[in-house]
Amino acid sequence: MMSLSTMRLPSLLSRSSLQLKPIRQFSSTIRLDAEHNYKLVVVGGGAGGCGTANKFVNKFGPGEVAVIEPNTMHYYQPMWTLVGGGLKTLAQSGRPMDSLLPKAASWLRDSVTGFEPENNRLVTESGDVVNYEFLVVAMGLQLRYDKIKGLPEAFDTPGVGSNYSVKYVEKTQKAIQEFKGGNALFTYPNSPIKCPGAPQKIMYLAEETFRSKGISANIQYRSSLGVIFACKKYADALWEVVKGRGINVHLRQHLVEIKTDTKEAVFENLDTNELETVPYDMIHITPPQSTPPSLHTNKDLVDAGGFLSVDKETLQHTKYPNIFGIGDCTSIPVARTAAAVAGQMGIMRKNLGAAISGSRSMPAIYPGYTSCPLVTGKSSLILAEFDYQVPPQPLETFPVNQAKERWTMFQLKSHLLPPLYWHGLVKGWWEGPGFIRKVLNLGFAK
């Protein structure tokens, strides 16, 4: 006799039922799994996932598009620099997920635990099987605080914060406000991360706060990278900033341990493998990051680094033509930012649209556009825009020197980009400033 743990419910297979939430596990012993069929499945409800779902939902019938995302809140994470710096509140950075996803799509509040690309299906944490014709992977990156000895427990002690997590960003604000002097450390891990400018941005806001209070601080930026910033034009400008403010920069340094009992941080020199123990009075930690386990353990889908293997120009998977990727979880060698997602959105519209129409050729090419609005103070910002060439080259929108600190660019970051994100990017309308760049540069820009 078929048990409740293995039986399927026929009613869940009807088209109308796809609008409903999937049935969840009711107890530890009884579970009622379901099987779903969709034309398009989007995995992830971040900027790329929400934007893609909104952009394509009208190309299909009701209930033919699904978004798989467990979180009920969506956060505009670029704002967390300003939250940690005391210029915005955490509440300003979040909105309910259901206010951003398209109403005509099915939202499965679940996580993916396994992909079966050969069978055009995936499995969720609740045991549901989801079949698809086309799949967009937009899972983002997960934070690996556990890779640093002493974390996350250290966040329960004074002076330790991190702008990368909704749990710890307000601890950054508190650490800066309560700082009385001494060593203030800011770290960059030995892994790809989202928003690679963020570890520096909070440092500049903290420095200005300390300086305005007359607090003496030994500010140290300890980065695993061999450069202060990937694009040389902006790196040169940032070196002038740190020199002018007396900030000590230590490159090729990777945080491996936090000792809260002695308030010490242990760094590994990536060139010599030697360990250095540094006392701290406050520390902002940028954690190592990786794609979620269900993705990086699937060798059919990922590259050697664990990222979804896609063509960097077309966003199409290198093995499975009905799979596309967008954002931080992909192998595209670009600085992982919301701006990069916006630049990829237009490519997704054209190329996924072509694939859905039955075309084997991809009409659009992603030029590698990304941007890091480098906050250097409470009213100054360097607007870094560049591509994914080796080395990266500037790909600027405005006909001015964007490597210069500007009040106007800070206003752009603080007041214009948030509504552009909420009403443009996650709704599928904003595809980056390419058209603005062409207009302001008389059509000669990329």
Side-chain angles (χ1 to χ4, degrees), residues 182 190 257 321:
N190 187 28
E257 183 179 359

Side-chain angles (χ1 to χ4, degrees), residues 163-220:
N163 284 356
Y164 276 81
S165 170
V166 66
K167 297 178 181 178
Y168 309 130
V169 61
E170 292 178 309
K171 293 181 181 292
T172 301
Q173 184 180 129
K174 187 177 185 206
I176 292 173
Q177 291 172 344
E178 295 180 352
F179 182 76
K180 304 300 182 184
N183 288 349
L185 312 183
F186 298 83
T187 75
Y188 189 115
N190 187 28
S191 80
I193 65 171
K194 49 188 172 182
C195 196
Q200 292 184 61
K201 299 176 192 180
I202 188 61
M203 175 176 69
Y204 300 129
L205 289 174
E207 186 278 332
E208 183 171 327
T209 298
F210 302 155
R211 178 161 35 95
S212 68
K213 292 182 176 181
I215 295 173
S216 177
N218 175 23
I219 300 175
Q220 302 178 35

Side-chain angles (χ1 to χ4, degrees), residues 224-244:
S224 68
L225 302 179
V227 294
I228 195 170
F229 198 74
C231 185
K232 186 178 184 302
K233 176 177 181 176
Y234 308 113
D236 291 344
L238 290 171
W239 277 116
E240 293 303 315
V241 173
V242 296
K243 290 176 183 177

Side-chain angles (χ1 to χ4, degrees), residues 270-414:
L270 295 176
D271 293 324
T272 66
N273 299 123
E274 295 178 347
L275 298 180
E276 179 184 3
T277 300
V278 183
Y280 69 85
D281 294 281
M282 78 147 283
I283 183 169
H284 175 270
I285 298 169
T286 301
Q289 294 162 41
S290 68
T291 54
S294 61
L295 181 58
H296 74 239
T297 58
N298 191 308
K299 302 307 179 185
D300 288 329
L301 291 180
V302 299
D303 65 3
F307 292 88
L308 183 75
S309 180
V310 299
D311 185 299
K312 71 176 185 178
E313 294 184 338
T314 68
L315 313 186
Q316 188 176 39
H317 195 270
T318 54
K319 183 177 180 180
Y320 301 100
N322 65 331
I323 298 178
F324 287 75
I326 189 169
D328 299 347
C329 71
T330 71
S331 61
I332 302 171
V334 69
R336 292 169 167 84
T337 67
V341 172
Q344 294 163 21
M345 193 65 67
I347 310 304
M348 182 68 74
R349 170 175 57 84
K350 296 176 182 178
N351 291 349
L352 177 56
I356 291 171
S357 299
S359 175
R360 292 187 177 183
S361 62
M362 297 290 100
I365 294 177
Y366 174 52
Y369 172 80
T370 191
S371 176
C372 286
L374 295 163
V375 174
T376 57
K378 296 181 180 180
S379 61
S380 61
L381 184 146
I382 293 172
L383 183 58
E385 293 182 291
F386 50 100
D387 61 21
Y388 57 20
Q389 295 184 62
V390 181
Q393 298 300 309
L395 188 55
E396 299 181 339
T397 298
F398 299 99
V400 297
N401 178 13
Q402 290 185 200
K404 182 179 179 180
E405 295 179 85
R406 296 180 185 275
W407 175 87
T408 52
M409 296 304 180
F410 181 86
Q411 303 310 309
L412 176 76
K413 159 77 174 177
S414 182

